[in-house]
Amino acid sequence: MNRLYNALQLKRLYQLKQLGVQYVPLVEKRASVQRSLPSDLKALEQIVSQCQLCSLSKTRTKTVFGEGNPNAELMFVGEGPGAQEDTSGRPFVGRAGELLTKMIENAIEIPRSEVYITNIVKCRPPNNRVPTPEEAYTCLPYLQKQIELVSPRIIVALGATAYHYLTGDKTGISKVRGEVIEMDGFKLVPTYHPSYLLRNPSAKKEVYQDLLKIKRLLCEN
Ligand code: URA
């Protein structure tokens, strides 16, 4: 999470530089950034539903906050809502979502309702394009707060976008998938996004190995 925080601070400093500011005496402390958001998932969801901080708010139908067990040990983070998610307001309910549900229930062998599922951005990018850095960094404080409140032991980054914005690392997903990365308060396991698996079914066997690893991690104390 420190890397997320640093990325947000960097973005803020660039914005200040564009405004002509040459010296910032004190960078806002991480705690105070998070304190401005409510420490309650329902209240946070309400704030997200009103969010107009980036242009995705202009084209969305519904915000897609996330769903699942508010005390989940396991969290999945995708990229951003697609068409069906935008209409329903729920994450991963389309074809990729059906596959994600199978991954959770058949390979990890826990009910989908036991985990927490969310995305990097909470509004659908038009034509399912990848969120811009501006959109992702603007939305990240919501994800940071969700992570803080749910406090999962393990977070699965689904695909390159989730991995990139959760870590700040631009290494390709095929190089890092299946690794267990110690983050600030949780273990991060990147794997391929279910949409990629729908287009490349031969990658399912690698993801199956990643899911078995996640299942083993969940059994550890
Ligand atoms: N793809 C994502 O990354 N997230 C969703 O919620 C659905 C599809």
Side-chain angles (χ1 to χ4, degrees):
M1 282 291 94
N2 275 334
R3 277 186 259 185
L4 279 188
Y5 172 72
N6 290 343
L8 285 168
Q9 289 299 340
L10 195 60
K11 183 193 168 210
R12 191 165 157 262
L13 290 172
Y14 277 127
Q15 284 172 335
L16 290 171
K17 195 176 169 196
Q18 280 173 342
L19 292 170
V21 175
Q22 292 189 342
Y23 173 67
V24 179
L26 184 69
V27 175
E28 205 176 358
K29 287 204 181 88
R30 177 180 163 180
S32 60
V33 173
Q34 298 202 346
R35 211 179 298 133
S36 61
L37 290 172
S39 289
D40 169 87
L41 279 176
K42 278 279 158 238
L44 184 63
E45 182 168 8
Q46 175 62 23
I47 286 186
V48 168
S49 74
Q50 309 287 319
C51 182
Q52 299 196 340
L53 290 178
C54 85
S55 59
L56 295 183
S57 62
K58 297 195 177 78
T59 49
R60 75 177 177 228
T61 309
K62 288 187 177 173
T63 53
V64 181
F65 179 68
E67 68 179 22
N69 179 352
N71 304 116
E73 297 210 328
L74 180 59
M75 180 185 274
F76 288 82
V77 179
E79 180 176 290
Q84 283 171 266
E85 291 78 16
D86 176 68
T87 317
S88 67
R90 295 182 54 212
F92 282 97
V93 290
R95 280 184 70 221
E98 278 172 27
L99 182 53
L100 178 62
T101 305
K102 283 186 191 155
M103 287 159 58
I104 296 166
E105 302 203 332
N106 299 348
I108 306 180
E109 294 189 295
I110 49 175
R112 174 177 159 135
S113 58
E114 275 301 304
V115 308
Y116 194 88
I117 304 175
T118 188
N119 284 300
I120 295 289
V121 292
K122 312 304 191 212
C123 297
R124 182 191 183 200
N127 304 315
N128 299 340
R129 63 162 170 75
V130 177
T132 64
E134 176 81 28
E135 291 157 358
Y137 285 125
T138 304
C139 216
L140 268 177
Y142 298 137
L143 177 61
Q144 277 185 297
K145 197 72 194 182
Q146 283 173 302
I147 293 173
E148 185 194 313
L149 295 177
V150 177
S151 189
R153 281 204 293 131
I154 303 162
I155 297 183
V156 182
L158 296 168
T161 303
Y163 174 72
H164 170 54
Y165 288 108
L166 281 165
T167 61
D169 178 15
K170 287 192 170 166
T171 309
I173 190 75
S174 59
K175 291 222 164 47
V176 292
R177 59 139 280 277
E179 283 183 15
V180 181
I181 302 157
E182 287 293 340
M183 301 283 289
D184 190 6
F186 59 89
K187 291 182 199 305
L188 183 76
V189 185
T191 194
Y192 291 129
H193 192 286
S195 300
Y196 175 80
L197 296 180
L198 291 172
R199 298 190 302 273
N200 301 276
S202 64
K204 281 185 186 172
K205 53 186 180 305
E206 290 164 280
V207 170
Y208 185 64
Q209 293 309 316
D210 300 344
L211 297 171
L212 292 183
K213 187 179 279 186
I214 292 160
K215 187 177 169 184
R216 282 197 298 276
L217 287 175
L218 273 177
C219 293
E220 287 173 6
N221 289 324

